[in-house]
Amino acid sequence: MIDLAQLQDQIKSKLSGIENQSELENTKSFFLGKKGLITLAFKGLGTLDPSIRKEQASKLNVIKSQLIDKLNMLQQEIASKEINKNLNTEKLDITLPAKKIIKGKIHPVSQVIDELTSIFSEIGFSVAEGPDIENEYNNFTALNTPEHHPARDMHDTFYLDKDKKTLLRTHTSPVQIRTMLKQKPPIKIIVPGRTYRCDSDMTHTPMFHQLEGLYLDKNINMGDLKGCLEYFLKRFFENDKLKMRLRPSHFPFTEPSAEVDISYKIDNNKIIVGEGDRWLEVLGCGMVHPNVLKNVKIDSNKFQGYAFGVGIDRLAMLKYGITDLRSFFEGDVRWIDHYGFDSNDVPTNYRGLSK
Ligand code: PHE
């Protein structure tokens, strides 16, 4: 028969020596495992005389449950000791600078669209949009460009069907038609968007971006158009001294029509916009042709308006000194890293457009 006093002494001394998880496990199996002292003691009960068996069994039960309680307590102590040890040794300094972060950048085209939206919203324009895939009517006919008109060749159109009814829009002007069909004047919109022409070299890509402007109301004239463009160009190039001039031109959907040049000079092989005495063409514009208004059932005796169209990519090239238009659409991360903008620097009128 096992000596219970001796067993308790053994338990006491084993428990006092426990420092970590594995010592705890060893002690546990030393007493309670398959061949543990207490397990064996229970097994030995059968050989005892029935008169003492019961008392011995209940004493063993008490010892066993006390041991289990103590082991559980020790288990918790060891766990929290280990957590504290880890907290002390594994320090994470969240104020250290992060390593190897690749930051996304805003593409110059998106940047310029944001800048233009900001500039024009200040003088009451809202943003309209239309689809890239257009029908021939909105892109040409409704814009007073009938079949066989030479302007259609000029645009080198990507047609999407044999009948030449569906196409990739060659300019943002069809959104003028879409808007005027939906909305009654006054209308004051800008339309940024993708446009397509069959053309590719240093300064032309088959897909490029335009911004259309349309202002339709009573008593709008060329003077309003000039004032609007002068405000926009000065704000966009962030140069109040910028000089611009209107040159007579021709578009089927405006009458009279003009092209707009801005002054520039070359300094140290770099183009400086707004200064100097050379001229650079930047946009086409004019008064909306009465035939166009007729096509959308607006009375041209009541309402007049101006429209303009400007190449967004070209504006980006001029403002940010980018020389090859094709590089805009190659998706080279080194290029975007160099020419891109921080996503937190949203252009606003009050905080500044590009600085
Ligand atoms: N749509 C013309 C182009 O692509 C530009 C333009 C727009 C001209 C509006 C006049 C008025 O060349």
Side-chain angles (χ1 to χ4, degrees):
M1 188 176 86
I2 189 167
D3 181 341
L4 293 182
Q6 210 179 328
L7 177 64
Q8 276 183 320
D9 283 347
Q10 246 174 322
I11 290 177
K12 219 179 187 179
S13 84
K14 282 266 181 198
L15 285 182
S16 66
I18 294 177
E19 296 271 347
N20 55 39
Q21 186 68 29
S22 77
E23 285 168 4
L24 185 106
E25 295 297 334
N26 288 342
T27 308
K28 201 169 173 177
S29 73
F30 183 81
F31 293 107
L32 302 168
K34 259 191 178 163
K35 290 187 177 146
L37 282 187
I38 294 179
T39 317
L40 294 178
F42 272 109
K43 278 188 181 157
L45 285 175
T47 62
L48 295 185
D49 187 285
S51 60
I52 51 167
R53 189 193 293 156
K54 209 176 164 194
E55 200 192 335
Q56 182 79 348
S58 74
K59 280 185 182 162
L60 261 180
N61 265 328
V62 173
I63 294 174
K64 184 184 173 184
S65 71
Q66 280 175 348
L67 174 63
I68 290 176
D69 286 351
K70 281 197 184 129
L71 285 172
N72 284 341
M73 260 169 57
L74 271 174
Q75 164 86 38
Q76 280 178 12
E77 270 172 36
I78 288 169
S80 68
K81 240 195 248 165
E82 270 171 19
I83 288 177
N84 285 335
K85 200 173 100 201
N86 288 345
L87 283 176
N88 282 329
T89 51
E90 294 172 13
K91 274 193 189 138
L92 179 67
D93 186 348
I94 55 165
T95 63
L96 283 175
K99 285 180 211 159
K100 270 204 184 163
I101 283 207
I102 299 173
K103 236 176 138 188
K105 292 268 183 101
I106 300 294
H107 195 284
V109 170
S110 305
Q111 166 77 15
V112 166
I113 291 176
D114 286 349
E115 292 181 20
L116 294 172
T117 308
S118 175
I119 291 169
F120 280 103
S121 70
E122 199 170 59
I123 53 169
F125 284 84
S126 52
V127 176
E129 279 180 317
D132 293 14
I133 297 175
E134 252 308 351
N135 56 50
E136 171 280 328
Y137 180 79
N138 287 343
N139 196 83
F140 290 126
T141 310
L143 286 164
N144 199 34
T145 318
E147 227 177 310
H148 307 303
H149 192 285
R152 291 203 185 207
D153 299 333
M154 217 169 71
H155 280 193
D156 286 323
T157 314
F158 287 112
Y159 286 99
L160 299 177
D161 60 353
K162 274 205 208 91
D163 301 343
K164 297 190 166 179
K165 290 285 177 223
T166 325
L167 45 82
L168 293 174
R169 65 178 177 193
T170 58
H171 49 179
T172 40
S173 304
V175 187
Q176 288 189 33
I177 302 298
R178 285 176 176 272
T179 311
M180 290 190 290
L181 284 173
K182 268 196 320 227
Q183 229 171 288
K184 287 201 162 57
I187 291 172
K188 202 172 184 184
I189 53 159
I190 50 165
V191 184
R194 279 189 285 268
T195 47
Y196 305 82
R197 284 177 211 179
C198 198
D199 214 348
S200 186
D201 58 38
M202 271 270 281
T203 51
H204 296 89
T205 48
M207 188 281 297
F208 58 104
H209 298 84
Q210 282 194 338
L211 181 102
E212 191 83 8
L214 172 69
Y215 183 19
L216 212 62
D217 205 341
K218 288 173 183 157
N219 304 318
I220 301 290
N221 59 44
M222 279 300 263
D224 299 314
L225 170 61
K226 193 178 174 207
C228 167
L229 293 177
E230 200 167 308
Y231 156 81
F232 140 56
L233 290 167
K234 284 181 174 173
R235 290 299 290 268
F236 178 73
F237 287 105
E238 297 172 59
N239 181 351
D240 272 343
K241 292 197 210 89
L242 178 138
K243 281 183 285 173
M244 70 165 230
R245 70 176 185 193
L246 266 66
R247 235 176 337 98
S249 184
H250 173 78
F251 299 102
F253 34 89
T254 46
E255 183 60 35
S257 302
E259 270 166 337
V260 177
D261 299 336
I262 54 174
S263 58
Y264 78 98
K265 67 175 181 190
I266 302 279
D267 206 21
N268 267 334
N269 270 335
K270 266 198 180 153
I271 180 163
I272 300 187
V273 175
E275 285 159 42
D277 50 14
R278 301 208 206 183
W279 296 98
L280 193 75
E281 183 199 318
V282 286
L283 63 87
C285 62
M287 299 304 294
V288 178
H289 198 293
N291 286 349
V292 174
L293 294 176
K294 203 167 97 192
N295 289 337
V296 293
K297 302 199 167 49
I298 289 176
D299 183 353
S300 60
N301 290 317
K302 258 196 191 154
F303 293 104
Q304 299 78 39
Y306 61 70
F308 56 87
V310 53
I312 292 175
D313 319 86
R314 199 166 152 75
L315 288 181
M317 289 171 81
L318 290 171
K319 184 165 177 179
Y320 295 113
I322 309 169
T323 46
D324 190 340
L325 176 63
R326 288 168 300 194
S327 63
F328 275 58
F329 310 116
E330 278 165 0
D332 188 326
V333 283
R334 293 164 300 182
W335 185 88
I336 191 75
D337 196 45
H338 181 78
Y339 287 111
F341 293 81
D342 194 302
S343 52
N344 293 320
D345 293 340
V346 182
T348 55
N349 297 316
Y350 53 89
R351 232 186 33 208
L353 294 172
S354 66
K355 288 168 196 145

